[in-house]
Amino acid sequence: MDTFKEGRISFFAKDEQTRDAKVFFNPARQFDRNLNVLLFRSLGMKDLCGADLFSASGIRGLRLSAETDAFKSILLNDIHTSSIIKKNVKANEKRLNSDIITESFNVTEIDRSKGLFDYIDIDPFGSPAFYAVHAMNNMKVGGIMALTATDTSALYGSANKACAIRYRAVSAKTSYYNEMGLRILLKRIDDIAGVYRREIESLFFDVRKHYIRVYVRIKRIRQSDDINHIYQCGRCPNRTLIEGGKCANCGSAMIKLGPIWSGKLFDRALVQRMYEKSEDADEKDYLGILRSEGDSITYYTTTEMASYLKQHEKKNGAIGTRTVLNNKGFRIDYCFKELLENYRNL
Ligand SMILES: C[S@@+](CC[C@H](N)C(=O)[O-])C[C@H]1O[C@@H](n2cnc3c(N)ncnc32)[C@H](O)[C@@H]1O
């Protein structure tokens, strides 16, 4: 076992990212954990009961306890690593602002006897969907669920069968593949919430090559109109949410993708508060782009525009709003035909 320090926590773990790792720890995900802490410092929620259900070393839950004052108690659970979690809790005792409970149950066996939570974190290997089915019943209305998916091949359009089985959706290798994955994941979580007569509001996301992480608020169900399909032209970059017919730009057949979550991806006021609280340049970069990003569904890239128009690639930023999902990506709130005209005249 090695010793690490992250945020205010010193802890034992092994820098191994395999299913067989004795205590999984991935230092490359520090940015994601920093954002997790910042989010709870910015939400203004207090006296929360949290549950980090796939704790590994316990680092995520321990940091939330030590670096925020949002939690009354945090359950740190892991089917394999409870003895190391206990050791890490003891080593950090003086820094913790909440009660810590350690357990080692299989999340597929969670039931209401484990308690109701204001915050549940689902960070397994692969897809979180299966575990969300079990843990959703332990969420309080108004609480927040964070989920990480590392099965990006399924969500990003490389493993279509896996996507159909785990997410009941069709993805594809589009220029906006990671938004497709993000929206398919959110749609699946909303479906799972629906089983319990709840629905989601997406508050925040962190999407990378190897993982998608989302934070959703669990709300009482209403008539949701945040579900749609994307119709992507097989020949040109045009895409639309409106069913039927051929591509309005080139007349080719449209390919039906999804279903997807077509609601908002983040809470702009929350992102603004996170931006104001952050003192880290990388976080400020990310949050600064996100707070001014448009809400339209899917983004175009300067690369696909150059290839379609047979032009040199133009610098991003001249048109639309930038997106944190792709440094060559931009969002517009008008149709592709209009974009072509505007882009040609740049
Ligand atoms: C990807 S790691 C979690 C990483 C951790 N959240 C972090 O930020 O460092 C997944 C962990 O889930 C645990 N695990 C896997 N399946 C589980 C299950 N069904 N119930 C509870 N824990 C499980 C594994 O032992 C492993 O430590």
Side-chain angles (χ1 to χ4, degrees):
M1 217 50 62
D2 303 314
T3 312
F4 296 88
K5 183 159 186 348
E6 191 181 287
R8 295 197 63 214
I9 301 295
S10 299
F11 61 106
F12 302 102
K14 203 89 195 135
D15 182 356
E16 287 176 350
Q17 288 92 50
T18 66
R19 275 173 202 266
D20 302 327
K22 289 229 161 33
V23 182
F24 177 100
F25 175 59
N26 187 355
R29 282 187 57 193
Q30 176 166 358
F31 184 69
D32 140 36
R33 285 184 289 268
N34 291 348
L35 289 174
N36 200 159
V37 167
L38 182 61
L39 182 130
F40 276 97
R41 287 183 54 226
S42 309
L43 273 169
M45 294 169 87
K46 290 270 184 295
D47 287 332
L48 304 179
C49 296
D52 182 2
L53 293 181
F54 299 79
S55 285
S57 64
I59 179 59
R60 195 178 284 277
L62 288 172
R63 285 196 60 191
L64 286 175
S65 177
E67 295 172 45
T68 79
D69 55 6
F71 291 89
K72 184 169 63 185
S73 67
I74 303 184
L75 167 69
L76 299 181
N77 177 67
D78 195 291
I79 196 167
H80 293 130
T81 61
S82 66
S83 59
I84 204 78
I85 294 172
K86 281 188 182 130
K87 219 167 145 179
N88 287 335
V89 173
K90 191 141 189 47
N92 291 282
E93 230 160 23
K94 292 206 178 80
R95 298 183 192 95
L96 303 177
N97 299 321
S98 41
D99 295 336
I100 301 287
I101 305 121
T102 53
E103 289 210 45
S104 56
F105 57 82
N106 185 334
V107 174
T108 61
E109 287 162 15
I110 192 170
D111 61 26
R112 285 216 164 190
S113 70
K114 299 287 181 203
L116 283 179
F117 298 98
D118 305 285
Y119 173 60
I120 289 184
D121 194 299
I122 301 187
D123 184 17
F125 301 111
S127 171
F130 175 56
Y131 300 106
V133 170
H134 294 277
M136 189 63 78
N137 201 22
N138 289 66
M139 279 299 308
K140 287 189 197 167
V141 172
I144 290 167
M145 187 178 255
L147 306 98
T148 315
T150 58
D151 57 338
T152 48
S153 57
L155 289 164
Y156 291 170
S158 305
N160 292 334
K161 198 169 167 193
C163 188
I165 292 169
R166 294 172 201 161
Y167 299 101
R168 300 277 181 257
V170 179
S171 189
K173 291 185 195 165
T174 56
S175 60
Y176 49 91
Y177 66 98
N178 52 4
E179 182 171 340
M180 195 72 215
L182 170 60
R183 289 187 183 276
I184 285 175
L185 172 63
L186 286 168
K187 156 76 171 88
R188 185 77 177 107
I189 302 164
D190 188 56
D191 272 355
I192 293 166
V195 173
Y196 297 93
R197 297 193 190 167
R198 294 171 193 170
E199 64 178 21
I200 63 161
E201 174 192 0
S202 181
L203 296 181
F204 190 68
F205 63 85
D206 174 23
V207 171
R208 309 278 143 167
K209 193 170 171 205
H210 298 297
Y211 70 87
I212 299 182
R213 185 159 166 87
V214 292
Y215 296 81
V216 299
R217 196 184 291 284
I218 305 300
K219 298 165 52 169
R220 277 187 220 291
I221 202 157
R222 58 177 175 93
Q223 198 69 28
S224 178
D225 52 4
D226 289 331
I227 307 301
N228 270 296
H229 284 86
I230 294 178
Y231 298 88
Q232 170 63 55
C233 178
R235 212 160 134 238
C236 79
N238 187 24
R239 75 287 303 245
T240 173
L241 297 189
I242 300 157
E243 183 171 11
K246 306 264 184 211
C247 173
N249 177 53
C250 72
S252 301
M254 300 298 266
I255 302 159
K256 185 177 181 180
L257 304 174
I260 57 146
W261 169 257
S262 55
K264 288 195 176 168
L265 293 176
F266 62 96
D267 176 335
R268 206 174 294 280
L270 170 64
V271 171
Q272 175 63 24
R273 288 201 297 281
M274 289 170 75
Y275 181 88
E276 284 162 12
K277 277 200 187 294
S278 173
E279 289 167 358
D280 176 87
D282 290 342
E283 285 172 13
K284 277 201 172 295
D285 266 0
Y286 183 84
L287 297 165
I289 297 172
L290 187 58
R291 69 177 172 174
S292 8
E293 184 163 344
D295 287 323
S296 58
I297 295 164
T298 80
Y299 59 84
Y300 291 89
T301 68
T302 52
T303 316
E304 75 181 325
M305 294 306 290
S307 148
Y308 184 67
L309 292 170
K310 302 200 172 18
Q311 292 180 337
H312 285 300
E313 189 168 341
K314 287 179 176 146
K315 216 168 153 237
N316 198 11
I319 236 169
T321 59
R322 285 179 60 202
T323 168
V324 288
L325 290 170
N326 188 326
N327 59 15
K328 296 188 169 196
F330 61 92
R331 293 185 192 275
I332 48 162
D333 53 12
Y334 45 84
C335 71
F336 180 63
K337 272 192 154 180
E338 210 176 317
L339 171 63
L340 281 180
E341 237 166 76
N342 295 345
Y343 210 84
R344 275 196 190 101
N345 296 332
L346 271 182

